Amino acid sequence: MKKLDVTKQEKESLEEAIQFWEKENVIDASTAKAMVDSIDVKSFDWKRLARYAFWVALASLVFAVFSLMTDTAFLKFVDTLYEAPNILFCLFFGALAVLFYTLGFRYKTKFPNKNLSIETMMLIGVFSTAACIGFLGKVLDKNSMHYSLLFLLSVLIYGYLANRLKSKLIWVFMLVALGIWFATETAYHSDWGFKFWGMNYPLRFTIFGLMLTLIAIYVQPRFKKLIEFQPLSYLIGLLYLMISLWSLSIFGNYSDFYEWTLVRQYHIFYWGLLSTAVAAGLVIYGLKMKDNTTREIGFVFFVLNVYTRYVEYLWDNINRAIFFLILAVSFWFVGRWAEKLWQKREDSLDT
């Protein structure tokens, strides 16, 4: 009988699940034994090796490019291309992007299970697209300084390609490019200042992250072609929101660094309170709805906010030994709490 090859940790998790189903009479003893016998620990994790190999290949490619940039012979060759029109480089990187997108799409059609190879080709295509748009900006530059339109163009291209090629990697880059477009567009309309409509970058991105999250929840599911990207949009939207809120809790709505240094942290305490409250709300919602993504993001930022406030208000006000002692005790209690939850789960499996 053919067996399912899994890692040792995966085998333990599957066996725990099978034991739980057997005790709850979901399956009988013979079925449970057959399921356990069909699981085997793989001798070598070839998937992990493949992932690392592709990462090393990409890293080596980056190092090769940097090494090439410092090579004397290559620099002399580049000098000969200095007068070459930007449109030539734009077309070159555009063709390179089309080539790798095509290869990735064909490879996905023939070998749908080889995700690492496919995503590597898509990644090269994404970087080539960015380079192409960058040189296109130089071609079209009329000293307008409206660079945000180029990022908007990349958003449209990445969005179309992600939908056409069903690539979640390209969708992530689309969401990142969308954030960059938002930052540059608002900066352009504020004469490249740090405030737009009285809001600094953290406050702007708090609103941006909230809007992206709400769109992922209420708008994206209405479109069949975008449903598969909804979890990613929700995750990225929450990260935009919580990172911005956390930054806002530290810097407030200040755009001048010197002005911020003159302000005591308790003057912007309400931002920290808001950030902590939102994180706690995410934890409660995630626990209630059994939404692991929401719960874990909320928990991470709740802890981050609590310890950020601890450092802000006590670092200069108490003895260093007491400071770190309190820190050690607090982490010990967190560890005890996590241990109790783990033990409770283990006991529920044994009963």
Side-chain angles (χ1 to χ4, degrees), residues 169-220:
L169 177 67
I170 300 179
W171 187 262
V172 170
F173 275 92
M174 187 276 290
L175 294 175
V176 173
L178 184 64
I180 298 174
W181 166 78
F182 176 77
T184 53
E185 182 69 18
T186 54
Y188 171 77
H189 288 289
S190 60
D191 276 338
W192 302 102
F194 285 97
K195 279 202 171 183
F196 172 74
W197 289 357
M199 299 180 291
N200 65 0
Y201 281 106
L203 183 54
R204 272 181 266 170
F205 271 95
T206 297
I207 298 173
F208 175 80
L210 178 61
M211 293 299 297
L212 186 59
T213 303
L214 292 176
I215 290 172
I217 296 173
Y218 297 108
V219 179
Q220 206 165 327

XYZ file of all heavy atoms in Angstrom, residues 169-220:
440
model
N 1.856 35.287 -5.222
C 3.075 36.065 -5.039
C 2.953 37.430 -5.718
O 3.287 38.461 -5.120
C 4.272 35.297 -5.595
C 5.618 36.020 -5.539
C 6.071 36.194 -4.099
C 6.677 35.250 -6.326
N 2.470 37.448 -6.954
C 2.303 38.713 -7.672
C 1.243 39.576 -6.989
O 1.362 40.807 -6.945
C 1.930 38.458 -9.146
C 3.035 37.653 -9.844
C 1.719 39.770 -9.892
C 2.743 37.328 -11.293
N 0.220 38.938 -6.420
C -0.816 39.693 -5.707
C -0.230 40.413 -4.489
O -0.597 41.550 -4.198
C -1.938 38.765 -5.280
C -3.117 39.480 -4.693
C -3.405 39.660 -3.380
C -4.176 40.129 -5.430
N -4.567 40.374 -3.228
C -5.059 40.680 -4.464
C -4.451 40.295 -6.781
C -6.204 41.387 -4.829
C -5.590 41.001 -7.147
C -6.443 41.536 -6.178
N 0.694 39.755 -3.796
C 1.359 40.390 -2.651
C 2.141 41.615 -3.119
O 2.079 42.685 -2.493
C 2.299 39.395 -1.938
C 3.165 40.116 -0.910
C 1.499 38.294 -1.262
N 2.881 41.475 -4.231
C 3.630 42.615 -4.762
C 2.686 43.725 -5.205
O 3.023 44.902 -5.104
C 4.521 42.167 -5.924
C 5.840 41.612 -5.498
C 6.000 40.251 -5.292
C 6.927 42.435 -5.270
C 7.214 39.729 -4.884
C 8.143 41.926 -4.859
C 8.290 40.566 -4.663
N 1.502 43.349 -5.695
C 0.515 44.361 -6.083
C 0.076 45.170 -4.870
O -0.034 46.410 -4.926
C -0.691 43.675 -6.733
C -1.718 44.647 -7.329
S -2.909 45.286 -6.128
C -3.859 43.808 -5.803
N -0.153 44.497 -3.741
C -0.580 45.183 -2.522
C 0.534 46.065 -1.956
O 0.277 47.147 -1.422
C -1.032 44.160 -1.474
C -2.288 43.355 -1.838
C -2.563 42.301 -0.784
C -3.490 44.276 -1.997
N 1.789 45.584 -2.078
C 2.924 46.406 -1.646
C 3.045 47.645 -2.535
O 3.247 48.772 -2.047
C 4.229 45.589 -1.683
C 5.438 46.486 -1.412
C 4.178 44.458 -0.652
N 2.931 47.446 -3.857
C 2.990 48.573 -4.798
C 1.841 49.547 -4.560
O 2.006 50.761 -4.710
C 2.951 48.053 -6.236
N 0.679 49.020 -4.149
C -0.464 49.879 -3.843
C -0.151 50.790 -2.654
O -0.494 51.980 -2.660
C -1.691 49.011 -3.540
C -3.013 49.750 -3.297
C -3.444 50.499 -4.562
C -4.098 48.766 -2.864
N 0.532 50.237 -1.644
C 0.936 51.043 -0.502
C 1.941 52.116 -0.888
O 1.859 53.261 -0.416
N 2.889 51.762 -1.760
C 3.885 52.737 -2.218
C 3.210 53.840 -3.033
O 3.529 55.031 -2.899
C 4.983 52.040 -3.042
C 5.730 51.027 -2.172
C 5.966 53.065 -3.608
C 6.730 50.180 -2.948
N 2.244 53.436 -3.884
C 1.512 54.434 -4.663
C 0.776 55.398 -3.737
O 0.793 56.614 -3.944
C 0.502 53.763 -5.587
C -0.489 54.749 -6.143
C -0.291 55.630 -7.172
C -1.815 54.993 -5.646
N -1.408 56.411 -7.353
C -2.357 56.043 -6.436
C -2.584 54.441 -4.634
C -3.637 56.529 -6.236
C -3.866 54.923 -4.423
C -4.384 55.958 -5.220
N 0.127 54.862 -2.707
C -0.620 55.704 -1.770
C 0.309 56.704 -1.081
O -0.028 57.894 -0.933
C -1.313 54.822 -0.730
C -2.028 55.585 0.336
C -3.257 56.175 0.084
C -1.478 55.719 1.607
C -3.925 56.889 1.077
C -2.134 56.431 2.598
C -3.362 57.016 2.328
N 1.492 56.230 -0.676
C 2.448 57.108 0.010
C 2.943 58.215 -0.915
O 2.981 59.395 -0.545
C 3.623 56.287 0.533
N 3.329 57.855 -2.143
C 3.870 58.853 -3.075
C 2.795 59.792 -3.606
O 3.061 60.979 -3.834
C 4.579 58.163 -4.253
O 3.680 57.206 -4.854
C 5.832 57.434 -3.790
N 1.572 59.276 -3.794
C 0.492 60.127 -4.298
C 0.122 61.195 -3.277
O -0.044 62.377 -3.622
C -0.729 59.266 -4.634
C -1.906 60.044 -5.223
C -1.628 60.564 -6.627
O -0.694 60.065 -7.283
O -2.361 61.481 -7.060
N -0.003 60.814 -2.019
C -0.328 61.793 -0.979
C 0.840 62.748 -0.760
O 0.624 63.932 -0.467
C -0.689 61.087 0.342
O 0.360 60.180 0.711
C -1.993 60.325 0.209
N 2.067 62.241 -0.896
C 3.234 63.121 -0.752
C 3.284 64.143 -1.881
O 3.618 65.316 -1.664
C 4.515 62.290 -0.733
N 2.932 63.716 -3.096
C 2.930 64.618 -4.251
C 1.939 65.765 -4.040
O 2.234 66.932 -4.335
C 2.571 63.840 -5.515
C 2.337 64.707 -6.726
C 3.412 65.267 -7.424
C 1.041 64.970 -7.169
C 3.195 66.072 -8.537
C 0.817 65.763 -8.280
C 1.897 66.322 -8.962
O 1.678 67.117 -10.052
N 0.757 65.437 -3.504
C -0.274 66.456 -3.311
C -0.007 67.322 -2.084
O -0.765 68.272 -1.827
C -1.648 65.797 -3.192
C -2.153 65.252 -4.499
N -2.564 66.053 -5.536
C -2.278 63.968 -4.929
C -2.952 65.298 -6.561
N -2.779 64.031 -6.223
N 1.041 67.001 -1.325
C 1.415 67.849 -0.191
C 2.791 68.470 -0.402
O 3.487 68.797 0.550
C 1.405 67.032 1.104
O 2.323 65.960 1.033
N 3.177 68.610 -1.699
C 4.478 69.189 -2.043
C 5.628 68.418 -1.401
O 6.613 69.014 -0.969
C 4.557 70.666 -1.620
C 3.941 71.587 -2.653
O 3.842 71.168 -3.821
O 3.535 72.688 -2.282
N 5.479 67.093 -1.351
C 6.498 66.189 -0.818
C 6.837 66.490 0.637
O 7.939 66.254 1.107
C 7.771 66.209 -1.679
C 7.465 65.823 -3.094
C 7.345 66.667 -4.149
C 7.187 64.507 -3.594
N 7.010 65.976 -5.295
C 6.914 64.635 -4.986
C 7.142 63.235 -3.024
C 6.590 63.540 -5.790
C 6.825 62.155 -3.822
C 6.561 62.313 -5.186
N 5.819 67.006 1.343
C 5.981 67.194 2.781
C 5.607 65.927 3.530
O 5.187 64.926 2.936
N 5.717 65.966 4.849
C 5.421 64.787 5.649
C 3.963 64.716 6.087
O 3.534 63.721 6.642
C 6.332 64.745 6.884
C 7.736 64.341 6.570
C 8.717 65.298 6.388
C 8.082 63.012 6.429
C 10.022 64.942 6.089
C 9.379 62.639 6.121
C 10.349 63.604 5.954
N 3.202 65.791 5.845
C 1.798 65.782 6.235
C 0.894 66.011 5.038
O 1.178 66.828 4.166
C 1.525 66.844 7.313
C 1.895 66.393 8.719
C 1.149 67.177 9.767
C 1.361 66.560 11.145
N 0.588 67.259 12.186
N -0.212 65.274 5.013
C -1.218 65.395 3.971
C -2.574 65.507 4.659
O -2.978 64.616 5.413
C -1.185 64.158 3.069
C -2.302 64.087 2.069
C -2.299 64.903 0.948
C -3.363 63.208 2.262
C -3.334 64.840 0.022
C -4.399 63.134 1.345
C -4.388 63.949 0.215
N -3.253 66.642 4.436
C -4.523 66.922 5.120
C -4.346 66.822 6.638
O -5.226 66.346 7.357
C -5.615 65.960 4.663
C -6.095 66.202 3.263
C -5.708 67.206 2.419
C -7.052 65.424 2.545
N -6.339 67.099 1.213
C -7.186 66.006 1.256
C -7.790 64.292 2.844
C -8.033 65.494 0.290
C -8.645 63.780 1.875
C -8.759 64.367 0.624
N -3.183 67.260 7.144
C -2.930 67.254 8.573
C -2.546 65.901 9.143
O -2.454 65.749 10.368
N -2.293 64.908 8.287
C -1.960 63.556 8.745
C -0.537 63.180 8.340
O -0.153 63.386 7.178
C -2.936 62.533 8.158
C -4.392 62.745 8.536
S -5.489 61.490 7.804
C -5.398 61.960 6.064
N 0.235 62.641 9.286
C 1.556 62.135 8.931
C 1.421 60.730 8.346
O 0.308 60.184 8.219
C 2.499 62.155 10.138
C 2.052 61.210 11.249
O 1.032 60.528 11.147
N 2.809 61.172 12.325
N 2.552 60.107 7.997
C 2.496 58.802 7.328
C 1.837 57.704 8.170
O 0.998 56.947 7.654
C 3.895 58.364 6.894
C 4.362 59.044 5.628
C 5.319 60.052 5.667
C 3.838 58.689 4.394
C 5.741 60.695 4.512
C 4.247 59.319 3.231
C 5.205 60.318 3.288
O 5.604 60.948 2.133
N 2.166 57.551 9.465
C 1.499 56.496 10.245
C -0.018 56.645 10.291
O -0.746 55.651 10.170
C 2.123 56.648 11.641
C 3.471 57.222 11.390
C 3.273 58.160 10.241
N -0.507 57.876 10.445
C -1.949 58.083 10.500
C -2.584 57.804 9.142
O -3.660 57.190 9.049
C -2.265 59.507 10.956
C -3.750 59.852 11.121
C -4.444 58.854 12.030
C -3.916 61.274 11.642
N -1.917 58.237 8.065
C -2.431 57.964 6.727
C -2.538 56.466 6.468
O -3.534 55.968 5.930
C -1.507 58.592 5.673
C -1.848 60.026 5.320
C -0.916 60.555 4.263
N 0.215 61.253 4.846
C 1.282 61.659 4.160
N 1.360 61.404 2.868
N 2.256 62.305 4.752
N -1.478 55.729 6.848
C -1.481 54.297 6.579
C -2.401 53.532 7.529
O -2.797 52.405 7.222
C -0.056 53.746 6.634
C 0.640 53.803 5.305
C 1.460 54.875 4.979
C 0.451 52.807 4.370
C 2.089 54.934 3.747
C 1.071 52.846 3.136
C 1.896 53.920 2.819
N -2.735 54.120 8.667
C -3.756 53.515 9.520
C -5.091 53.497 8.785
O -5.789 52.465 8.757
C -3.890 54.300 10.834
O -2.653 54.218 11.556
C -5.003 53.724 11.698
N -5.434 54.619 8.174
C -6.673 54.703 7.390
C -6.583 53.805 6.167
O -7.543 53.093 5.815
C -6.945 56.159 6.983
C -7.138 57.021 8.242
C -8.158 56.259 6.073
C -7.257 58.503 7.963
N -5.422 53.803 5.515
C -5.216 52.967 4.325
C -5.379 51.485 4.677
O -6.063 50.735 3.963
C -3.819 53.225 3.754
C -3.454 52.336 2.602
C -3.922 52.598 1.325
C -2.627 51.237 2.788
C -3.585 51.780 0.251
C -2.276 50.413 1.729
C -2.760 50.685 0.459
N -4.746 51.047 5.773
C -4.853 49.651 6.188
C -6.275 49.269 6.547
O -6.736 48.167 6.228
N -6.997 50.174 7.217
C -8.392 49.919 7.566
C -9.241 49.768 6.310
O -10.070 48.838 6.212
C -8.927 51.059 8.437
C -10.396 50.959 8.855
C -10.633 49.708 9.691
C -10.814 52.209 9.634
N -9.043 50.660 5.341
C -9.803 50.589 4.092
C -9.499 49.305 3.332
O -10.406 48.637 2.815
C -9.486 51.807 3.216
C -9.969 53.123 3.795
S -11.774 53.171 4.013
C -12.308 53.008 2.318
N -8.227 48.919 3.272
C -7.838 47.696 2.565
C -8.449 46.466 3.235
O -8.919 45.542 2.555
C -6.310 47.579 2.528
C -5.723 46.433 1.696
C -6.166 46.534 0.249
C -4.201 46.444 1.782
N -8.475 46.457 4.572
C -9.062 45.338 5.308
C -10.561 45.247 5.061
O -11.100 44.150 4.830
C -8.795 45.492 6.820
O -7.384 45.596 7.047
C -9.332 44.297 7.581
N -11.251 46.388 5.095
C -12.695 46.401 4.864
C -13.034 45.975 3.436
O -14.020 45.252 3.207
C -13.257 47.798 5.139
C -13.222 48.246 6.609
C -13.719 49.687 6.731
C -14.050 47.318 7.486
N -12.204 46.395 2.474
C -12.421 45.975 1.082
C -12.249 44.473 0.951
O -13.015 43.787 0.256
C -11.454 46.725 0.143
C -11.848 48.200 0.041
C -11.450 46.096 -1.249
C -10.852 49.064 -0.713
N -11.235 43.924 1.635
C -10.997 42.477 1.588
C -12.168 41.700 2.179
O -12.494 40.600 1.718
C -9.710 42.134 2.334
N -12.821 42.272 3.205
C -13.919 41.573 3.875
C -15.233 41.694 3.100
O -15.938 40.698 2.890
C -14.106 42.122 5.310
C -12.871 41.830 6.157
C -15.351 41.511 5.958
C -12.910 42.474 7.533
N -15.558 42.917 2.652
C -16.891 43.165 2.115
C -16.975 43.278 0.597
O -18.033 43.013 0.022
C -17.459 44.453 2.752
C -17.645 44.359 4.235
C -16.808 45.054 5.111
C -18.648 43.565 4.777
C -16.974 44.976 6.489
C -18.820 43.475 6.166
C -17.974 44.166 7.005
O -18.131 44.074 8.360
N -15.887 43.692 -0.046
C -15.943 43.935 -1.488
C -15.358 42.771 -2.291
O -15.995 42.277 -3.232
C -15.206 45.243 -1.851
C -15.236 45.472 -3.361
C -15.834 46.421 -1.114
N -14.167 42.322 -1.917
C -13.478 41.307 -2.704
C -14.263 40.008 -2.873
O -14.243 39.419 -3.953
C -12.103 41.025 -2.083
C -11.083 40.516 -3.084
C -9.663 40.605 -2.541
O -9.333 41.500 -1.778
N -8.836 39.666 -2.933
